[in-house]
Amino acid sequence: MTEASHFPSDFVWGAATSAYQIEGSPLADGAGASNWHRFCHTPGMTAGGATGDVAADHYRRWPEDVALMKWLGLKAYRFSLSWSRILPDGYGRLNAAGLDFYDRLVDGLLTAGVDPWVTLFHWDLPAALDERGGFTNPDMAGWFGEYAAVVYARLGDRVRRWMTLNEPWVVMDGGYLYGVHAPGHRSAYEAARAAHQMMRAHGAGVAAFRAAGSPGEIGLVVNLEPKYPATRSGKDKAAAMRADAYMNRWFLDGARFGSYPEELPGIFGEAWPDIDPADFGPMTAPIDFVGVNYYTRGIVRNDPKGQPFDWYRVPPKKRGATTTGWEVHAPSFTRVLEWVKERYGDLPIYVTENGSAFPDPPAVRGKVLADPKRVAYLRSHLAAAADAIANGVNLRGYFAWSLLDNFEWGSYEKRFGLIHVNYKTQKRTPKASAHVYRNVIATNGASLSAPRGKASRGAR
Ligand code: FCB
């Protein structure tokens, strides 16, 4: 894109966070433990034993954070609820203080003119449910439906945008297959079952929303990473297709088509479960929008000896990659948004997460903290989003990941925030990227059309 604003006048400019990554005080005021709390407190599971015990202390500092959102001019803020604050046992007994916290936050946001967008499940599951098998337990859909109904009843008069699950793929892959996320299991059998029960829970969450009759909209958030073969060989092309089925098509196919990609039984082999076809009906309850989280693309090589699957994700060159080791590739962002429209139809799409981790220099009092790589990433990806809109994608909003530096699922070293957090003092300092984003919001994207620096052009 080279000129003018290319965003509709009602485009939703937002930023996102999640409960366990920012709140801290995980057991405060009667909350039950979550599986992430347990995981982090298990020796050896996180870098240097990092936990979310304090994180960005948002549970206590939320008014300051809402004031920062107001300063940014955010139209919307996407955050998640901690299920175990609200239902310490996962179901049944309600912890009023937990629900009160989110009630106050929602009111604070509305007073600041920021629309609350709520994710019901962003990976922190009540530990009590984990003890019952977590997502491998077919009762999960019922438990999730109950939790969802409790929350809609309390917040549904003010919250208009809901998301059931955040990135079920990561929970399946990181939590149940590779064991690098809570609950730390390593089993292809469990992974395949957990994925299916997550999708049944999603359906139950949508059904509870319709039953509650609250006004508003509900969607599912998936992480998408376009897959490209490492070479032109037929084997690498076929491997890229398998990786695409596994990561990109599994969950949206389930929600939109009521089936899973035909490659999956072959990929999982004997670990693949027999699925009752009746399970697919509730899963396809119509959603109002698709939430897309995009960070990078994936280059895939065939690998017959691969474990557990027969392909390999080629790591990008270190130079230019983010602290998470992800290649910066904005054209794939445009492409993936077009692909969602081509494959799943013209549902409204919101980018519910997009952002980058880079090491930031220490904040100096009175100075804007320079984060040129994050600025370049932001600019190039917003330009890519504008390209998708120009190409006919029904993209209605963009949420930067993340409002604040936070607990990146095992470490505090990967800083994604527009706003820097000093973890010793909890002082917040807006980075240059926050100032850039503030200007983007104030001009509805027109500021992006100003000549871009070399760095940002290079990043695309
Ligand atoms: C996504 C997660 C989010 C954060 C970003 C970097 O996969 O949804 O919580 O970890 O990645």
Side-chain angles (χ1 to χ4, degrees):
M1 301 303 305
T2 46
E3 80 268 346
S5 171
H6 302 276
F7 297 90
S9 56
D10 58 352
F11 196 73
V12 178
W13 297 102
T17 64
S18 87
Y20 192 74
Q21 292 180 277
I22 62 165
E23 287 179 355
S25 309
L27 303 179
D29 303 327
S34 72
N35 63 343
W36 265 97
H37 178 75
R38 294 255 172 101
F39 181 78
C40 294
H41 281 271
T42 304
M45 294 317 236
T46 61
T51 72
D53 287 1
V54 179
D57 199 22
H58 172 81
Y59 187 73
R60 299 189 304 164
R61 291 170 196 263
W62 66 266
E64 184 187 347
D65 294 336
V66 172
L68 284 164
M69 295 177 214
K70 193 173 176 183
W71 170 81
L72 269 169
L74 292 188
K75 306 263 184 270
Y77 171 54
R78 172 177 178 243
F79 62 100
S80 76
L81 309 182
S82 158
W83 182 343
S84 56
R85 281 197 200 286
I86 296 168
L87 295 163
D89 308 317
Y91 57 84
R93 184 173 61 91
L94 187 75
N95 178 38
L99 209 39
D100 288 349
F101 167 66
Y102 294 111
D103 197 270
R104 287 194 297 274
L105 176 60
V106 164
D107 282 345
L109 289 164
L110 291 170
T111 305
V114 181
D115 196 28
W117 285 50
V118 174
T119 308
L120 293 173
F121 174 73
H122 196 131
W123 304 358
D124 49 338
L125 187 73
L129 298 185
D130 209 30
E131 285 164 15
R132 292 173 156 74
F135 280 105
T136 64
N137 190 327
D139 288 341
M140 189 53 89
W143 295 329
F144 188 74
E146 178 184 332
Y147 159 56
V150 165
V151 169
Y152 302 143
R154 179 67 180 271
L155 305 177
D157 57 336
R158 286 153 293 154
V159 174
R160 292 284 183 271
R161 291 310 199 311
W162 297 91
M163 290 142 283
T164 52
L165 313 177
N166 179 72
E167 301 188 353
W169 180 84
V170 176
V171 177
M172 175 277 298
D173 179 269
Y176 288 90
L177 184 65
Y178 289 104
V180 293
H181 280 191
H185 298 186
R186 290 174 161 217
S187 158
Y189 289 83
E190 287 194 19
R193 282 155 185 79
H196 182 60
Q197 298 309 331
M198 267 189 277
M199 286 309 293
R200 289 189 59 236
H202 158 76
V206 175
F209 183 69
R210 304 296 179 211
S214 356
E217 300 185 343
I218 191 159
L220 171 68
V221 173
V222 291
N223 56 303
L224 301 177
E225 188 182 290
K227 300 294 185 187
Y228 298 93
T231 69
R232 279 191 221 151
S233 83
K235 285 191 170 164
D236 284 349
K237 282 185 188 160
M241 286 301 286
R242 293 196 297 281
D244 178 67
Y246 175 65
M247 186 163 178
N248 297 323
R249 284 181 266 134
W250 190 342
F251 300 91
L252 284 180
D253 274 18
R256 297 290 287 162
F257 304 151
S259 61
Y260 295 140
E262 60 184 19
E263 292 95 331
L264 289 180
I267 290 171
F268 277 86
E270 61 171 15
W272 187 251
D274 286 330
I275 294 176
D276 182 349
D279 284 357
F280 284 109
M283 196 186 292
T284 51
I287 49 176
D288 302 305
F289 63 89
V290 177
V292 174
N293 294 354
Y294 173 83
Y295 290 92
T296 190
R297 67 170 175 167
I299 308 291
V300 180
R301 197 185 287 281
N302 186 53
D303 179 6
K305 293 200 190 110
Q307 284 296 335
F309 304 137
D310 55 359
W311 69 82
Y312 169 71
R313 188 178 185 282
V314 182
K317 291 197 185 74
K318 274 221 164 124
R319 212 170 151 260
T322 67
T323 313
T324 36
W326 297 339
E327 180 189 2
V328 177
H329 200 262
S332 291
F333 187 26
T334 310
R335 181 65 207 120
V336 85
L337 295 170
E338 291 167 350
W339 175 80
V340 171
K341 176 180 172 172
E342 285 159 19
R343 185 168 177 86
Y344 297 108
D346 207 7
L347 269 185
I349 300 174
Y350 293 92
V351 171
T352 34
E353 284 179 30
N354 174 246
S356 55
F358 290 109
D360 295 316
V364 178
R365 187 191 289 267
K367 284 219 170 148
V368 172
L369 194 149
D371 61 340
K373 290 184 177 167
R374 190 174 295 98
V375 168
Y377 185 101
L378 178 69
R379 296 185 74 106
S380 63
H381 284 72
L382 286 175
D387 285 346
I389 294 171
N391 295 345
V393 174
N394 189 5
L395 178 65
R396 303 269 185 96
Y398 173 94
F399 290 76
W401 184 272
S402 178
L403 177 73
L404 303 168
D405 288 337
N406 58 49
F407 178 63
E408 177 50 29
W409 308 111
S411 139
Y412 285 94
E413 301 306 313
K414 296 164 188 164
R415 290 180 178 269
F416 276 92
L418 298 172
I419 294 170
H420 180 269
V421 175
N422 177 326
Y423 292 114
K424 288 200 187 100
T425 61
Q426 289 296 339
K427 185 171 164 39
R428 276 83 164 126
T429 309
K431 305 178 191 177
S433 53
H435 290 269
V436 167
Y437 194 45
R438 183 172 184 247
N439 205 17
V440 166
I441 297 172
T443 62
N444 196 42
S447 64
L448 289 166
S449 308
R452 278 184 275 139
K454 223 176 163 189
S456 70
R457 279 204 300 276
R460 282 195 79 188

